[in-house]
Amino acid sequence: MTGTRYSPDSILVPTTPGTLLEWAATHITRVGIYQSRYSLFSGPGRLAHRRCSVGGALDVAAGRDRMAADRPYDLEAIGTALDDAYRILAEHLEDGPVPIPPGREPTAHHKTVVHLWTLAPDRTAQQAAAALRAAAETARAADRLF
């Protein structure tokens, strides 16, 4: 992985979609998959060692429960990278552009696509990590074009 090196307790946060997706893939490989994203991330403290969903892994990669209070973060860049990561992953999972229903916010819809994919019966951490890595490669390839 280029740039930010994975560690479940790292206070470093990726600011590009490709690195964020790769970090999430490495995270989910390490901790496993759980098919409900909200229950595992409620409560105090870092929960980065628990199993998580694909969306949960992206949230952790984007700094959820990992940011240090004494370190500056470019929250706008992280937020943009996270939105782009969800879009790129949703497009990978759907094999192309994801139509946004009228009146629906695009990032919310991309998150729904990712969440529903995660909920498929018998989804494995290996499948999730493979999808995240494939989307990461797509993001890096797009970065190389510009």
Side-chain angles (χ1 to χ4, degrees):
M1 175 169 43
T2 311
T4 307
R5 187 174 174 96
Y6 170 83
S7 168
D9 294 321
S10 175
I11 60 170
L12 301 176
V13 178
T15 56
T16 65
T19 305
L20 196 145
L21 286 157
E22 184 65 37
W23 202 102
T26 303
H27 180 69
I28 213 160
T29 298
R30 178 182 170 109
V31 302
I33 193 170
Y34 182 76
Q35 293 182 312
S36 174
R37 80 183 279 190
Y38 296 105
S39 63
L40 288 178
F41 293 100
S42 60
R46 291 186 185 172
L47 302 173
H49 295 293
R50 290 189 173 185
R51 296 170 298 165
C52 64
S53 68
V54 175
L58 283 167
D59 291 346
V60 171
R64 186 167 184 178
D65 296 327
R66 298 188 308 107
M67 291 183 179
D70 62 345
R71 181 182 179 95
Y73 293 94
D74 186 342
L75 298 179
E76 186 174 332
I78 293 167
T80 298
L82 183 59
D83 290 350
D84 287 346
Y86 270 108
R87 177 186 52 77
I88 293 164
L89 180 58
E91 289 176 352
H92 170 74
L93 298 175
E94 294 291 310
D95 292 322
V98 176
I100 307 301
R104 185 80 195 259
E105 197 274 321
T107 299
H109 187 65
H110 294 139
K111 287 180 178 184
T112 299
V113 169
V114 170
H115 184 63
L116 291 175
W117 183 86
T118 300
L119 293 175
D122 301 319
R123 181 73 63 213
T124 67
Q126 292 78 18
Q127 291 169 327
L132 287 160
R133 285 194 174 99
E137 183 50 41
T138 298
R140 287 190 294 268
D143 284 345
R144 288 190 295 266
L145 292 175
F146 302 101

